[in-house]
Amino acid sequence: MRNLLKIFCSSVSLVMFATAFSSCGNDDTPKIVIGNDFYYWESTAESTYGDAMKNYGEFKKLEDKTEHNLMHIFGEDRHYVWLRHEFKIPAQFRNQPLGMVIPHLRFAAQVYCNGTFISQYGAFPPNEQSTLFKAHFFSFPLDVLEQYETNTVMIKVFIQGDSGISSHAFIQPARFAYPAFERMNFNTTRIYMLLFGIMFITFILYLCFYFNIPAFKEFRDFALLNLFTSFFMVYFFATELPLYTSGAISHLALAKYAFCIPGYCIVYFTYLFAANYFGVKTPLPLRIMRHSIIAVQVVLTIVAPDYDFLIKISPPMMTMVFLQIAGGTVEFFMRLWNRDTRRKAVQVLLGFSPFIAGVCVDVILRIYDSTQSFTYSMLFGWQGAIVVFLIMLAIRFTRIYRSNELLKNHLQEEVESRTHELKEANAELSVLNEQLEKDKHRSDMDLEMASLVQRNFFPQPNKHFKGWEIAICYAPQAKVSGDLYDYYSYNDILNGLSLFDVSGHGLSASLVTMLSKNIIARMFQKGFRNNDEIEKILTKINHTIIYEKGDIDNYMTGILCRFKNIGNGEQCMVELGNAGHPYPLMYSKIEDEVSELRGTDGKKHYGAIGMKGIMVSFATSEFTMSSGDILVCYTDGITEATNQKMEQFGAERIKAIIKKHNDKPSDELLKKIMEALFKFTKTKPLDDDITLIIAKRTDMDEFVSDDEHEEEFEDGLEELEDAD
């Protein structure tokens, strides 16, 4: 504690020295003091020097000598003002260049001497740039000065926010004025560049500490506190940066991201640092208040469209800042009152005491003399606070290091103990691994059996009917599949077929397919006998499956087709229902075109099968098929299959193959599509189950029995698998 008191005294001395140093530099060189004799006239953005001279009699004496005198007269809104001063050159200043120094002039200004444009500081709208805290120097060459007559200085000023002109402006020979200007600039802008460097290095140092010791959150908070303070410093010396003076960074962006947001974050992280330094969790309501305030402040500042908006929201923003400070003050006194945390509370108070002293010095100086722009002592006080906290955190770091040294001395014993425990754990793990291998083998056998049962549960893909050539590819992604297909026939007459895709993969999806197959077949056969519409059959299937599967989450999409031969069987009427499934394709021999069957009922279609509490409306289509026409149904495992570039196979490739090879039998057409799919995906494994149905309409008298067709079909599938 005694060391901390010494640090406190040294820091306060640093603040007082910095203040005295920044105030020095005045000399007794003769000068023409012009700050007390400015006259002003409000004008417009388009006004010129000639307009100002025409309105010479309208100028009023600028009586207010304070730092923000123009704001006091015109407010914080945008205005254009001409300032006038007249002077005669004393004998000792004649026949030499003069310089005018204005310690403080905001927002932007253009200077004329005897009608001649001299120079400009800052920029006028629409791309306005403030001169911020920089002093102003204007050089008056000999050819514009009246050596024995009255000289008129006209200054066109764009004012916005806390604008004003210093009452300590003066004119001297340039050889004296410019050094005075440089001293002022050092005190009001460049000195902060040193502070920026100190704080940024401190940020890097303590961020490294935090990365190595994440448990010490106060290291992180202290690093971020220094980071945002260094950003805040940029606002004070931005006029020394080419990025700002060239206009690459606008004044609005600078005000947002180098003044407002860093200022709010400084208060936020100061609070957070103190809280984590105490090591006590802040009450939830207080945490919510702090997070909400900083979020509102940052968002409103980022979305601010212009500088006027920032000025207008500054009162509520400052209110929120004071709320943060008030909350931190309350919590500080709570910790000070608590005996367990009192010591740390005193340490925090001593740490911030240089900053508090700097604030007091600033307040006293500005109350004593409100006409001058002093260097901000609080910023030097903040450097003192950083030094104090650096020492405090260094002490804590040293304690951690010593603790690690003690741990290192006992590390061998700890390692031996842990090694023994690890050997025992490895032995137990070996037993568990052996048991796991047995369980996995048993599970694989069960899955293989489930796959065999499921395949036998579905009809054989080489089934043929009168007037139809049908080929089916059924390829589960795993051992079992969530795809389901079926035929509905009487003797050799095909009455209908179905294709459904259950959500999900694996065993749960396969069980739903086996549950649903009989339900779908029963509902179709009953609806077929009653001549029900296909949408009604799908609706009954939906209700029954929802009831039968209970709380199982899986649902399914699908296609249900009903066929009815017309006349002598040359044509077939097809009624197709679609429950949220990929659109089937139909090739017309007459039109030589492949089209998607999207539904011809004119209704909106939505919903799938098996979703409890969801309204459904299934798409239906009616069309005729003649000899040579082809119906193609598939699951999305085909169209959504991707290659190494993550491109999807898509339906367009299927359409092109069907159109090109429409004269081939259904099994050869299926083989062409699957060859194209495997060529497209190459070595990339499939991500979903695949089922593809090719139903080609033929003449009724060209029927080939299943026994005659089976051998050819199986040979084709074997060739396809060998090619893959």
Side-chain angles (χ1 to χ4, degrees):
M1 186 65 72
R2 185 176 301 171
N3 291 333
L4 290 178
L5 287 173
K6 290 181 180 179
I7 294 170
F8 165 70
C9 296
S10 301
S11 302
V12 173
S13 300
L14 174 64
V15 173
M16 300 304 294
F17 171 77
T19 304
F21 177 76
S22 63
S23 302
C24 69
N26 296 325
D27 55 46
D28 297 328
T29 306
K31 62 184 70 172
I32 305 172
V33 178
I34 64 175
N36 292 323
D37 294 308
F38 277 118
Y39 291 80
Y40 69 91
W41 169 65
E42 185 177 6
S43 61
T44 63
E46 297 78 16
S47 61
T48 63
Y49 177 84
D51 297 328
M53 292 303 295
K54 288 177 184 179
N55 291 273
Y56 188 92
E58 300 295 326
F59 279 74
K60 301 177 183 179
K61 182 71 178 292
L62 184 61
E63 302 290 351
D64 192 338
K65 307 303 179 186
T66 59
E67 186 179 3
H68 306 303
N69 43 19
L70 295 179
M71 181 189 70
H72 296 159
I73 296 173
F74 298 102
E76 295 182 338
D77 298 330
R78 295 184 172 200
H79 295 276
Y80 291 85
V81 179
W82 282 89
L83 299 173
R84 189 191 79 227
H85 177 77
E86 296 174 341
F87 69 96
K88 286 188 176 182
I89 303 176
Q92 67 268 34
F93 289 174
R94 289 176 187 161
N95 299 317
Q96 55 183 314
L98 300 181
M100 180 173 67
V101 178
I102 304 178
H104 176 80
L105 176 58
R106 290 180 69 180
F107 196 88
Q110 296 173 346
V111 172
Y112 298 81
C113 181
N114 297 327
T116 301
F117 177 75
I118 300 300
S119 182
Q120 175 173 321
Y121 272 73
F124 283 36
N127 300 313
E128 61 267 27
Q129 291 284 79
S130 172
T131 57
L132 298 174
F133 303 93
K134 186 180 181 70
H136 299 66
F137 174 77
F138 302 96
S139 178
F140 297 157
L142 287 172
D143 58 351
V144 303
L145 293 171
E146 297 288 347
Q147 299 296 327
Y148 298 95
E149 302 296 332
T150 300
N151 294 272
T152 301
V153 176
M154 284 284 191
I155 308 175
K156 184 180 181 180
V157 185
F158 167 64
I159 63 176
Q160 184 181 31
D162 54 350
S163 298
I165 184 168
S166 174
S167 60
H168 296 272
F170 60 89
I171 296 175
Q172 277 184 317
R175 67 180 187 275
F176 300 125
Y178 190 77
F181 157 75
E182 285 291 304
R183 286 195 299 272
M184 291 179 186
N185 254 357
F186 178 81
N187 293 336
T188 56
T189 57
R190 295 171 188 162
I191 195 170
Y192 299 115
M193 299 174 75
L194 174 64
L195 306 185
F196 169 85
I198 294 173
M199 283 179 287
F200 196 79
I201 292 173
T202 306
F203 155 70
I204 295 174
L205 176 65
Y206 273 87
L207 193 65
C208 294
F209 285 166
Y210 172 70
F211 285 153
N212 284 279
I213 315 176
F216 283 75
K217 295 181 179 179
E218 58 267 38
F219 287 1
R220 174 203 62 192
D221 301 334
F222 192 66
L224 293 175
L225 185 57
N226 279 273
L227 175 66
F228 285 108
T229 307
S230 64
F231 286 161
F232 187 75
M233 288 291 178
V234 173
Y235 191 75
F236 292 87
F237 63 83
T239 48
E240 301 297 320
L241 302 176
L243 280 176
Y244 178 72
T245 55
S246 65
I249 299 176
S250 67
H251 178 257
L252 177 62
L254 184 74
K256 283 183 179 181
Y257 303 110
F259 187 75
C260 296
I261 292 178
Y264 305 144
C265 291
I266 288 170
V267 176
Y268 175 80
F269 282 105
T270 299
Y271 185 108
L272 200 61
F273 167 74
N276 285 324
Y277 190 87
F278 290 133
V280 180
K281 193 171 184 179
T282 306
L284 180 60
L286 215 51
R287 293 205 307 274
I288 294 174
M289 182 196 76
R290 288 193 294 106
H291 298 331
S292 302
I293 286 175
I294 190 65
V296 170
Q297 289 174 324
V298 171
V299 170
L300 283 179
T301 302
I302 290 175
V303 302
D306 50 42
Y307 190 66
D308 286 334
F309 184 82
L310 285 179
I311 294 173
K312 290 176 182 177
I313 65 172
S314 58
M317 290 295 197
M318 292 308 299
T319 301
M320 286 187 277
V321 167
F322 286 126
L323 282 176
Q324 290 269 40
I325 295 174
T329 304
V330 170
E331 188 164 355
F332 168 76
F333 281 107
M334 289 173 57
R335 305 307 173 209
L336 189 62
W337 184 261
N338 190 323
R339 182 176 299 176
D340 297 332
T341 58
R342 184 174 299 162
R343 181 182 179 85
K344 288 186 176 180
V346 173
Q347 292 174 355
V348 169
L349 178 61
L350 290 175
F352 284 114
S353 58
F355 174 72
I356 297 171
V359 171
C360 294
V361 170
D362 284 336
V363 172
I364 293 170
L365 287 175
R366 281 155 181 77
I367 292 176
Y368 175 74
D369 186 355
S370 61
T371 65
Q372 294 200 54
S373 299
F374 294 100
T375 305
Y376 286 94
S377 301
M378 69 177 74
L379 298 178
F380 291 94
W382 186 246
Q383 299 302 305
I386 287 176
V387 171
V388 176
F389 283 116
L390 276 173
I391 295 174
M392 289 183 181
L393 295 176
I395 292 172
R396 300 188 76 178
F397 186 81
T398 302
R399 289 174 180 171
I400 295 172
Y401 177 79
R402 289 175 178 173
S403 176
N404 288 338
E405 284 293 312
L406 291 174
L407 180 62
K408 181 180 177 181
N409 294 333
H410 299 86
L411 188 59
Q412 186 63 37
E413 181 181 347
E414 187 70 19
V415 168
E416 291 177 357
S417 174
R418 297 297 181 219
T419 302
H420 178 71
E421 293 176 1
L422 186 60
K423 289 181 179 179
E424 293 181 349
N426 283 336
E428 294 179 3
L429 187 60
S430 298
V431 175
L432 291 175
N433 283 337
E434 185 178 348
Q435 183 63 39
L436 186 61
E437 287 292 331
K438 293 180 181 179
D439 292 343
K440 183 178 180 298
H441 179 71
R442 188 181 301 110
S443 177
D444 290 342
M445 294 294 293
D446 292 343
L447 194 61
E448 190 69 36
M449 181 61 68
S451 174
L452 181 62
V453 170
Q454 187 183 37
R455 286 181 177 272
N456 292 332
F457 196 66
F458 295 150
Q460 293 299 317
N462 58 344
K463 187 74 173 176
H464 268 52
F465 304 92
K466 289 183 178 180
W468 292 98
E469 283 183 6
I470 296 182
I472 297 178
C473 176
Y474 173 72
Q477 184 225 5
K479 295 288 186 180
V480 290
S481 172
D483 290 354
L484 158 67
Y485 71 90
D486 203 358
Y487 314 113
Y488 313 109
S489 62
Y490 179 74
N491 292 332
D492 293 323
I493 304 299
L494 181 64
N495 294 331
L497 62 81
S498 63
L499 173 61
F500 287 84
D501 183 2
V502 178
S503 63
H505 304 286
L507 195 57
S508 62
S510 70
L511 291 175
V512 175
T513 63
M514 299 174 71
L515 168 70
S516 304
K517 180 178 179 297
N518 287 334
I519 295 174
I520 296 170
R522 189 171 69 251
M523 293 296 106
F524 177 84
Q525 299 290 4
K526 183 177 180 181
F528 185 83
R529 290 194 300 271
N530 296 335
N531 202 27
D532 291 337
E533 294 181 353
I534 200 74
E535 183 179 15
K536 184 177 180 180
I537 297 174
L538 281 173
T539 302
K540 289 182 178 180
I541 291 171
N542 180 42
H543 291 160
T544 306
I545 287 178
I546 289 174
Y547 176 78
E548 292 291 340
K549 74 184 182 69
D551 294 332
I552 298 175
D553 292 333
N554 299 78
Y555 63 91
M556 60 199 308
T557 64
I559 299 292
L560 185 62
C561 297
R562 178 166 60 189
F563 306 110
K564 183 178 181 182
N565 292 325
I566 302 174
N568 58 2
E570 293 182 357
Q571 288 186 319
C572 176
M573 174 63 69
V574 181
E575 185 180 3
L576 184 147
N578 189 333
H581 201 74
Y583 299 119
L585 305 176
M586 209 281 273
Y587 170 77
S588 172
K589 183 71 174 178
I590 296 175
E591 298 177 359
D592 191 28
E593 289 293 337
V594 180
S595 58
E596 293 182 345
L597 301 173
R598 291 177 172 268
T600 59
D601 53 5
K603 300 178 182 178
K604 291 184 178 180
H605 309 129
Y606 45 84
I609 289 177
M611 301 178 73
K612 189 175 182 180
I614 303 296
M615 298 293 292
V616 294
S617 175
F618 302 129
T620 59
S621 305
E622 290 188 6
F623 52 93
T624 59
M625 293 182 66
S626 303
S627 179
D629 292 349
I630 304 171
L631 177 64
V632 180
C633 302
Y634 53 85
T635 56
D636 58 9
I638 295 179
T639 54
E640 294 180 2
T642 57
N643 58 14
Q644 298 293 340
K645 298 179 180 179
M646 299 308 294
E647 300 170 335
Q648 292 190 347
F649 186 68
E652 294 301 321
R653 289 184 172 85
I654 301 177
K655 291 180 182 179
I657 295 171
I658 296 170
K659 187 172 182 179
K660 182 177 180 181
H661 302 286
N662 67 86
D663 56 334
K664 296 186 181 298
S666 59
D667 52 354
E668 292 188 22
L669 186 56
L670 181 142
K671 183 178 178 182
K672 292 288 185 184
I673 295 173
M674 296 307 296
E675 284 177 345
L677 175 64
F678 293 137
K679 183 178 180 181
F680 177 79
T681 57
K682 293 184 179 178
T683 58
K684 188 176 185 298
L686 299 175
D687 298 323
D688 199 357
D689 304 322
I690 287 179
T691 303
L692 173 65
I693 300 177
I694 307 290
K696 185 172 184 179
R697 184 67 181 174
T698 62
D699 294 333
M700 293 291 288
D701 55 358
E702 293 181 359
F703 172 66
V704 179
S705 68
D706 291 336
D707 293 337
E708 295 172 350
H709 179 268
E710 181 176 359
E711 184 176 351
E712 295 180 3
F713 186 82
E714 290 181 351
D715 289 343
L717 285 182
E718 288 177 0
E719 291 177 6
L720 185 61
E721 291 173 355
D722 293 340
D724 182 33

